[in-house]
Amino acid sequence: MNERVRSFEGIHNFRDYGGYAASGGRLKSGLLWRSGQHGAATPEDLAGVAQIGLATVIDLRGDSERQLMPCLRPDPFEAMVLFAPGETAGSELAPHEEAGRGIASAAEAKAAMTRLYVNMPYREVLVRSLTLYFEALASRDGPSLLHCLAGKDRTGLAAALLHRLLGVHEDDVMDDYLLTNVAGNQERRIAAAGDSIRERYGDQITDEAIVTLMGVDADYLHAASRSIEERHGSVERYAEAVLGVDASRRDALRERLIT
């Protein structure tokens, strides 16, 4: 398993997204963590999370997701949990669940996921959540955890935005995004999601479509990037205009996160 990945029983896709070469140095390791939800965490999982010493948790899920599956936390738990109220995915569903509506095949699943990524950088509540994310990283000390439901779409976009703003090479940005496809116990993660998606939409959805919905693809992130560039010209201009990440905030991010 990739050395970035922490293996947990009930928390999927838990990994360090620091350590990459960036402008003027290298992202610090052990400060930037990402994962899926923690609602099924075991006591052993929570003990492992406690060892990290999280100071901040940024929860990119919507209100409905938090109510349906509250995250379990270590005891004691002193980290500040940040989220924007509302539905970050535009509905009560996570992006991969939303994409499952009306599809049956893997090709249909990929097309639906790609369409979702075009608008993801501009979804109102997610924008507010991403704003909190960058504010926290620019101002708060200690390790942080970024997560959504599956830890792959909203979380993947947020991590890629940070990487690009800090000058991480595009190959590393994409490698980190695609690590979702091999991090942790994929069979357990996909099986659990498949049951939920079929219960909601029916048994016509093929196994291949479930795998597609629960994975990530370079085309998804490219779709979000094109959407940003078409509207704003660059990630930097998007971040400043939409997320409030101006030059001074970028400097603060570099100071805290690059060594």
Side-chain angles (χ1 to χ4, degrees):
M1 179 54 65
N2 187 292
E3 63 182 7
R4 296 178 173 278
V5 179
R6 293 287 180 93
S7 181
F8 291 125
E9 181 74 18
I11 306 174
H12 299 299
N13 207 5
F14 197 108
R15 49 195 171 93
D16 187 340
Y17 63 106
Y20 295 105
S23 296
R26 184 172 292 273
L27 292 182
K28 297 176 182 178
S29 297
L31 283 185
L32 296 168
W33 297 90
R34 53 177 290 184
S35 76
Q37 52 81 20
H38 295 205
T42 67
E44 292 76 17
D45 294 341
L46 296 179
V49 172
Q51 291 177 356
I52 295 172
L54 293 173
T56 310
V57 175
I58 304 95
D59 186 347
L60 298 181
R61 298 177 300 166
D63 291 345
S64 298
E65 295 168 286
R66 280 188 293 274
Q67 292 169 7
L68 182 64
M69 189 172 288
C71 279
L72 302 177
R73 306 296 188 191
D75 184 21
F77 180 70
E78 299 178 350
M80 177 179 289
V81 180
L82 302 173
F83 61 87
E87 304 296 351
T88 59
S91 71
E92 76 281 4
L93 304 176
H96 67 273
E97 293 175 323
E98 185 178 345
R101 182 182 291 113
I103 66 100
S105 69
E108 291 171 329
K110 180 176 179 178
M113 289 297 300
T114 303
R115 287 193 297 271
L116 285 176
Y117 268 74
V118 171
N119 294 319
M120 195 182 298
Y122 297 97
R123 289 185 165 183
E124 180 182 355
V125 181
L126 182 56
V127 164
R128 295 205 299 270
S129 299
L130 293 174
T131 301
L132 291 173
Y133 167 60
F134 284 105
E135 287 176 351
L137 293 188
S139 61
R140 292 183 56 78
D141 296 326
S144 66
L145 172 70
L146 172 71
H147 79 87
C148 54
L149 186 70
K152 69 185 189 72
D153 298 313
R154 289 164 289 186
T155 296
L157 174 64
L161 289 172
L162 177 70
H163 283 161
R164 285 169 171 156
L165 288 173
L166 295 181
V168 173
H169 191 279
E170 187 61 32
D171 289 347
D172 288 333
V173 174
M174 187 60 71
D175 284 348
D176 187 85
Y177 175 74
L178 295 176
L179 187 54
T180 282
N181 291 334
V182 296
N185 190 321
Q186 294 294 302
E187 290 184 2
R188 187 190 309 123
R189 183 176 71 87
I190 292 170
D195 291 342
S196 174
I197 292 169
R198 286 194 172 105
E199 182 178 353
R200 185 179 296 276
Y201 295 123
D203 291 336
Q204 80 284 351
I205 302 179
T206 65
D207 289 345
E208 293 78 12
I210 296 295
V211 170
T212 300
L213 291 174
M214 289 309 299
V216 292
D217 189 290
D219 288 346
Y220 305 164
L221 195 57
H222 287 322
S225 298
R226 284 194 301 271
S227 179
I228 287 171
E229 290 166 3
E230 287 170 2
R231 296 197 198 188
H232 293 280
S234 69
V235 169
E236 289 79 11
R237 291 177 182 174
Y238 159 81
E240 182 162 358
V242 179
L243 307 178
V245 184
D246 57 13
S248 63
R249 180 152 293 168
R250 290 197 299 272
D251 287 343
L253 290 167
R254 293 188 189 98
E255 182 176 349
R256 288 181 177 274
L257 300 178
I258 294 178
T259 184

